[in-house]
Amino acid sequence: MALDHGVVGVRRGPWTRSWTSTDSLTYALGVGAGQLDPTRELAFTTENTAGVTQQALPTYAIVIAQFGGPQLGLEGVDFTQLLHAEQALTLHRPMPVAGSASLTSTITDIFDKGKGALVVNEITATDPEDGAPLFTTRSSVFIRGEGGFGGDRGPSATFDVPAGPADAELRFPTSVSQALLYRLSGDRNPLHTDPAFAAAGGFDRPILHGLCTYGIAVRLLLNEFCDGDASKLRAVSGRFTKPVWPGDELVVTAWADGDTVLFRTANGAGDVVLDHGELTVEK
């Protein structure tokens, strides 16, 4: 079976997703909070520290949106050939440490990239009680072997690194068990744990979740530019460009201009793994 292009515009949901304080803590640990200094990020890793109010990392919203509900609508696709390509998140209010969301999902586009198809999906989350918007996620997945159907290639985004020195260079060494911990938040894709599945996808060993790399980068940027106040994040976006292996060092380079922070993330060897990064914060 091949990719069904009739899924474009089909709305799935609504469905309800709930999470607890413990879920928020588990996610924070999965993206490395407290891993280097257990006393530095207690707002993300504990719920009972005197004088510290627990916060949820905003990027946990992406996990809530994309896992635990209806499938993406890509029946017939070989998932060993699917890679996360881009991810964007808009927060309409601060992410609560516990709560519920009513979610709807729509595949908005399928672009022809020649060697594969780029499938764009948008998920909106609202408060089940009053219908107020909570957050919106927009993700793209690249499916190898599904291109060449004569469709629109889609927009070509550019990313110009600002002139002059960066405002921050933030480093984080992932652990060899990073994927095993991160998966407990809901992303059980065997590409990140099963050597045989990873080999079928062309990798010599399981790779780290792209969204784990994404969450680590945003966490570091929040600490640097928002003093660890997660409520200041308004939006974030980025493009995945190269796999990360559990145990790799991540290096986030950032340039700040008012309420916008442009960033890219590389591995320790200097290869860019997350590009076109843009963070919007409240000043």
Side-chain angles (χ1 to χ4, degrees):
M1 294 178 66
L3 174 63
D4 178 10
H5 291 240
V7 297
V8 175
V10 176
R11 181 174 179 267
R12 292 173 175 259
W15 71 95
T16 300
R17 183 84 150 80
S18 299
W19 65 99
T20 67
S21 163
T22 299
D23 294 328
S24 293
L25 298 174
T26 301
Y27 172 80
L29 294 174
V31 296
Q35 189 166 305
L36 300 182
D37 181 355
T39 66
R40 184 181 180 192
E41 297 175 290
L42 293 173
F44 300 134
T45 58
T46 66
E47 78 294 343
N48 58 356
T49 298
V52 177
T53 301
Q54 185 187 350
Q55 299 183 63
L57 283 167
T59 46
Y60 182 43
I62 301 169
V63 175
I64 290 169
Q66 294 184 190
F67 304 100
Q71 296 299 305
L72 187 57
L74 301 179
E75 290 80 6
V77 166
D78 180 357
F79 277 77
T80 66
Q81 301 304 304
L82 184 149
L83 293 170
H84 203 156
E86 298 170 311
Q87 183 66 57
L89 169 67
T90 300
L91 278 299
H92 305 297
R93 64 173 74 172
M95 183 68 186
V97 298
S100 297
S102 177
L103 299 149
T104 59
S105 171
T106 306
I107 292 178
T108 60
D109 295 284
I110 298 179
F111 295 120
D112 188 348
K113 295 298 186 179
K115 293 183 178 181
L118 189 71
V119 181
V120 184
N121 186 56
E122 183 173 281
I123 299 177
T124 60
T126 59
D127 188 313
E129 298 297 325
D130 59 16
L134 295 175
F135 57 83
T136 303
T137 73
R138 188 174 179 85
S139 63
S140 301
V141 294
F142 184 78
I143 308 174
R144 293 173 289 185
E146 293 287 354
F149 54 87
D152 182 3
R153 284 192 58 85
S156 297
T158 60
F159 183 77
D160 296 321
V161 174
D167 293 292
E169 184 177 277
L170 312 168
R171 294 177 175 269
F172 181 79
T174 66
S175 71
V176 293
S177 60
Q178 201 79 53
L180 300 177
L181 179 56
Y182 179 81
R183 71 189 295 271
L184 299 181
S185 290
D187 186 349
R188 303 300 179 95
N189 186 341
L191 177 64
H192 309 294
T193 54
D194 182 350
F197 192 94
F203 300 103
D204 61 8
R205 61 190 188 278
I207 63 175
L208 187 63
H209 306 70
L211 284 178
C212 183
T213 298
Y214 196 90
I216 290 169
V218 173
R219 177 179 62 81
L220 295 175
L221 292 166
L222 284 173
N223 285 334
E224 179 71 19
F225 294 102
C226 299
D227 296 322
D229 185 352
S231 70
K232 291 185 177 180
L233 181 68
R234 293 293 174 265
V236 60
S237 59
R239 174 180 296 180
F240 303 104
T241 55
K242 193 177 180 67
V244 173
W245 310 105
D248 279 357
E249 181 183 40
L250 296 176
V251 183
V252 182
T253 306
W255 299 263
D257 183 9
D259 61 0
T260 300
V261 178
L262 300 180
F263 69 95
R264 62 179 10 157
T265 303
N267 59 24
D271 300 318
V272 176
V273 298
L274 178 60
D275 208 357
H276 293 232
E278 184 171 331
L279 193 81
T280 304
V281 298
E282 176 188 306
K283 285 297 188 179

